[in-house]
Amino acid sequence: MKNYGLVSIITPNWNCEKYIAETIESVLAQTYQNWELLIQDDCSTDGSLLVVHRYAKTDSRIKIEVNPKNSGAAVTRNNAIKRSKGIYLAYLDSDDIWVPEKLEKQLAFMEKHRCDACFSSYEHMDTDCVSLGVQAKVKKSVTYRDLLIHDWFGCLTLIYKQNLNNKIYGIDVPKANDYALFLNVMKNIKFACGLDECLAAYRIRKGSVSRNKWKKVEHHIHVLQSVGHKNIIISYILLFTHQIIKCFFKYKKITSKESIISKCSCKGIR
């Protein structure tokens, strides 16, 4: 297999003891093995750090660091980016999973299409790794302007080249911080190519902040104003297009035969 270079996988963690083993297992199962898994813990109070340390003892590519204080997702991701050594950055939250060929297929796709960023489709699953019968559609390519109109990226699928001498960080906003980070990234990348294949599974958890619709609206507007530098009127227009795309064009229903969940590793050290 061709060696494309080191991939730094950014994984923020806060109290994901129940799921993080499955996340790590899906990285260990990757067919492309030149990676480092940078788990940045935001002062967890459960047993997730014990799980991570058990894995780190068996594989030196798994590297754990704990924030000095609880700081939120934006700062946690930035701390992991700061210690990254890879020429590629990929993102995987501590309750999501990848299919084994995820990195290999995206790196080859990027080389073929001569792009510096790539994203793919992903599937929704519940807390027990059961498919919810929904997959995200993929746009052929996305520019910075496209991303202002709609957040086309699933955080768990994006991979891009980074300049180790000029790393790009997100801003510390309450939520939608992954969107804020990727807007900053796309200011420096001509376009991201979309690989129309489902390569990851996103876990839907009841009661999570991301499921609060009104909060998501508030945070999305804040990001458009603070990162996109749009006034309040333009921000609401962009929010409207974002919601229309999300409600009517972003996702598709799939059958159980089309689900990729069975390809992912949903078993790990407990």
Side-chain angles (χ1 to χ4, degrees), residues 133-145:
V134 175
Q135 283 183 1
K137 296 178 183 178
V138 175
K139 197 173 186 294
K140 188 174 181 180
S141 67
V142 170
T143 65
Y144 172 70
R145 287 187 177 183

Side-chain angles (χ1 to χ4, degrees), residues 65-229:
E65 182 178 272
V66 181
N67 290 342
K69 62 179 181 178
N70 183 265
S71 305
V75 172
T76 302
R77 280 197 185 93
N78 284 344
N79 287 343
I81 293 171
K82 196 174 298 181
R83 59 192 179 102
S84 65
K85 297 179 181 178
I87 60 173
Y88 294 94
L89 279 187
Y91 294 83
L92 179 63
D93 284 352
S94 51
D95 55 356
D96 298 330
I97 54 178
W98 287 345
V99 302
E101 301 83 12
K102 194 264 186 190
L103 291 178
E104 179 187 357
K105 287 187 174 182
Q106 285 189 291
L107 290 167
F109 193 77
M110 290 169 70
E111 181 178 72
K112 178 181 179 181
H113 294 276
R114 298 180 181 179
C115 57
D116 291 334
C118 178
F119 64 103
S120 75
S121 176
Y122 59 94
E123 185 169 343
H124 287 176
M125 65 178 177
D126 67 12
T127 52
D128 297 316
C129 254
V130 176
S131 174
L132 295 176
V134 175
Q135 283 183 1
K137 296 178 183 178
V138 175
K139 197 173 186 294
K140 188 174 181 180
S141 67
V142 170
T143 65
Y144 172 70
R145 287 187 177 183
D146 293 328
L147 199 61
L148 284 171
I149 294 171
H150 179 70
D151 182 7
W152 292 99
F153 302 148
C155 179
L156 69 168
T157 75
L158 185 64
I159 180 172
Y160 59 87
K161 284 186 178 180
Q162 73 165 345
N163 182 342
L164 290 169
N165 296 316
N166 188 25
K167 293 180 179 179
I168 299 171
Y169 300 95
I171 64 170
D172 188 9
V173 291
K175 297 296 173 184
N177 39 71
D178 54 346
Y179 181 44
L181 169 62
F182 299 149
L183 280 172
N184 275 341
V185 169
M186 290 306 297
K187 289 177 182 178
N188 298 274
I189 292 179
K190 189 175 181 180
F191 69 95
C193 50
L195 174 54
D196 193 12
E197 185 173 348
C198 191
L199 298 176
Y202 173 74
R203 197 182 303 267
I204 303 291
R205 292 198 276 165
K206 292 181 179 179
S208 66
V209 176
S210 63
R211 303 297 293 164
N212 187 314
K213 305 299 183 183
W214 289 111
K215 283 291 184 182
K216 290 187 77 173
V217 166
E218 177 185 333
H219 299 319
H220 196 91
I221 289 292
H222 180 64
V223 168
L224 289 172
Q225 290 183 286
S226 58
V227 181
H229 305 295

